[in-house]
Amino acid sequence: MNITLDQAEKIISTAKEKARSLETKMNIAVVDAGANLVAFVRMDGAWLGSLDISIKKAKTARFFDMNTGSVGELSQPGGSLYNIEHSNNGLITFPGGIPIKDASGEIVGAIGVSGSTVENDHTVAEAGANAI
Protein backbone atom coordinates (compact mmCIF):
# COMPACT_ATOMS: atom_id res chain seq x y z
CA MET A 1 0.00 0.00 0.00
CA ASN A 2 1.21 3.48 -0.86
CA ILE A 3 0.29 6.93 0.26
CA THR A 4 -1.97 8.71 -2.23
CA LEU A 5 -1.48 12.22 -3.56
CA ASP A 6 -4.64 13.33 -1.74
CA GLN A 7 -3.23 12.00 1.54
CA ALA A 8 0.15 13.62 0.87
CA GLU A 9 -1.52 16.97 0.21
CA LYS A 10 -3.50 16.68 3.46
CA ILE A 11 -0.29 15.84 5.33
CA ILE A 12 1.47 18.87 3.87
CA SER A 13 -1.49 21.13 4.62
CA THR A 14 -1.57 20.00 8.26
CA ALA A 15 2.21 20.38 8.58
CA LYS A 16 2.05 23.90 7.11
CA GLU A 17 -0.63 24.87 9.62
CA LYS A 18 1.58 23.60 12.46
CA ALA A 19 4.61 25.48 11.09
CA ARG A 20 2.58 28.69 10.94
CA SER A 21 1.43 28.19 14.54
CA LEU A 22 5.11 27.95 15.52
CA GLU A 23 5.86 31.06 13.43
CA THR A 24 8.41 29.27 11.30
CA LYS A 25 8.88 28.53 7.60
CA MET A 26 9.48 24.97 6.50
CA ASN A 27 10.33 22.73 3.60
CA ILE A 28 8.01 19.70 3.78
CA ALA A 29 8.45 16.49 1.77
CA VAL A 30 6.27 13.38 1.61
CA VAL A 31 7.50 10.10 0.10
CA ASP A 32 5.61 6.90 -0.64
CA ALA A 33 6.38 3.38 0.61
CA GLY A 34 9.16 3.10 -2.00
CA ALA A 35 10.75 6.36 -0.76
CA ASN A 36 9.72 8.16 -3.97
CA LEU A 37 8.78 11.82 -3.64
CA VAL A 38 5.00 12.28 -3.84
CA ALA A 39 4.59 15.89 -2.72
CA PHE A 40 6.79 18.77 -1.65
CA VAL A 41 6.28 22.36 -0.56
CA ARG A 42 8.69 25.14 0.30
CA MET A 43 6.90 27.75 2.37
CA ASP A 44 7.62 31.32 1.32
CA GLY A 45 10.93 32.37 2.84
CA ALA A 46 11.99 28.88 3.97
CA TRP A 47 15.72 28.20 3.78
CA LEU A 48 16.88 26.94 0.39
CA GLY A 49 19.44 24.69 2.08
CA SER A 50 16.68 22.87 3.92
CA LEU A 51 14.98 21.75 0.72
CA ASP A 52 17.35 18.79 0.19
CA ILE A 53 17.42 18.06 3.92
CA SER A 54 13.63 17.68 4.14
CA ILE A 55 13.58 15.21 1.24
CA LYS A 56 16.47 13.21 2.71
CA LYS A 57 14.77 13.15 6.12
CA ALA A 58 11.64 11.66 4.54
CA LYS A 59 13.68 9.07 2.65
CA THR A 60 15.75 8.20 5.72
CA ALA A 61 12.60 7.67 7.80
CA ARG A 62 11.20 5.33 5.13
CA PHE A 63 14.46 3.49 4.43
CA PHE A 64 14.72 2.48 8.09
CA ASP A 65 11.07 2.75 9.18
CA MET A 66 11.93 4.88 12.19
CA ASN A 67 12.15 8.51 13.15
CA THR A 68 15.32 10.13 11.87
CA GLY A 69 16.20 11.21 15.41
CA SER A 70 16.26 7.52 16.40
CA VAL A 71 18.59 6.76 13.50
CA GLY A 72 20.78 9.59 14.77
CA GLU A 73 20.98 8.07 18.24
CA LEU A 74 22.10 4.75 16.75
CA SER A 75 24.65 6.39 14.43
CA GLN A 76 26.76 8.06 17.12
CA PRO A 77 30.38 6.92 17.57
CA GLY A 78 30.29 3.43 19.05
CA GLY A 79 26.66 2.97 17.98
CA SER A 80 25.44 0.07 15.89
CA LEU A 81 24.78 2.33 12.89
CA TYR A 82 27.88 4.53 13.16
CA ASN A 83 28.56 6.31 9.82
CA ILE A 84 25.30 5.16 8.23
CA GLU A 85 24.62 8.74 7.11
CA HIS A 86 27.18 8.16 4.34
CA SER A 87 25.06 5.42 2.73
CA ASN A 88 22.17 5.75 0.28
CA ASN A 89 23.58 8.93 -1.29
CA GLY A 90 23.43 10.64 2.08
CA LEU A 91 21.01 10.26 4.96
CA ILE A 92 19.87 12.79 7.53
CA THR A 93 20.13 11.48 11.06
CA PHE A 94 18.63 14.23 13.18
CA PRO A 95 14.94 14.83 14.02
CA GLY A 96 12.36 15.87 11.45
CA GLY A 97 11.66 12.65 9.52
CA ILE A 98 8.82 10.32 10.54
CA PRO A 99 7.30 7.21 8.91
CA ILE A 100 3.61 7.52 8.03
CA LYS A 101 1.29 4.63 8.85
CA ASP A 102 -2.20 3.83 7.63
CA ALA A 103 -5.10 2.90 9.93
CA SER A 104 -3.90 -0.71 10.14
CA GLY A 105 -0.39 0.34 11.18
CA GLU A 106 1.27 -0.41 7.84
CA ILE A 107 3.92 2.09 6.75
CA VAL A 108 2.74 3.79 3.57
CA GLY A 109 5.33 6.56 3.34
CA ALA A 110 7.18 9.17 5.35
CA ILE A 111 7.39 12.90 5.95
CA GLY A 112 10.51 15.03 6.21
CA VAL A 113 10.56 18.59 7.52
CA SER A 114 13.41 21.08 7.71
CA GLY A 115 13.71 24.79 8.26
CA SER A 116 13.90 25.51 11.98
CA THR A 117 15.23 23.88 15.12
CA VAL A 118 15.21 20.09 15.13
CA GLU A 119 12.55 20.26 17.84
CA ASN A 120 10.29 22.35 15.62
CA ASP A 121 11.10 20.18 12.60
CA HIS A 122 10.01 17.08 14.54
CA THR A 123 6.86 18.76 15.89
CA VAL A 124 5.77 19.81 12.40
CA ALA A 125 6.58 16.39 10.95
CA GLU A 126 4.62 14.68 13.72
CA ALA A 127 1.57 16.86 13.02
CA GLY A 128 1.77 15.94 9.35
CA ALA A 129 2.29 12.23 10.01
CA ASN A 130 -0.79 12.17 12.23
CA ALA A 131 -2.98 13.87 9.60
CA ILE A 132 -4.17 10.62 8.03
Side-chain angles (χ1 to χ4, degrees), residues 26-128:
M26 300 287 196
N27 290 281
I28 305 163
V30 177
V31 299
D32 64 16
N36 302 297
L37 187 64
V38 175
F40 174 84
V41 67
R42 178 177 168 260
M43 294 174 71
D44 293 340
W47 292 332
L48 290 172
S50 290
L51 188 153
D52 184 56
I53 294 169
S54 66
I55 295 169
K56 286 184 177 178
K57 283 182 181 182
K59 288 183 175 198
T60 300
R62 178 56 187 121
F63 286 159
F64 299 99
D65 294 337
M66 66 177 83
N67 293 354
T68 53
S70 297
V71 176
E73 291 172 11
L74 297 169
S75 66
Q76 296 303 304
S80 60
L81 299 179
Y82 181 60
N83 276 332
I84 197 166
E85 65 274 9
H86 301 293
S87 71
N88 296 287
N89 292 315
L91 301 174
I92 301 296
T93 59
F94 45 87
I98 299 177
I100 299 169
K101 298 178 181 180
D102 65 13
S104 68
E106 183 178 343
I107 295 175
V108 295
I111 183 172
V113 176
S114 183
S116 184
T117 65
V118 293
E119 294 82 10
N120 282 347
D121 291 355
H122 179 80
T123 297
V124 171
E126 191 171 52

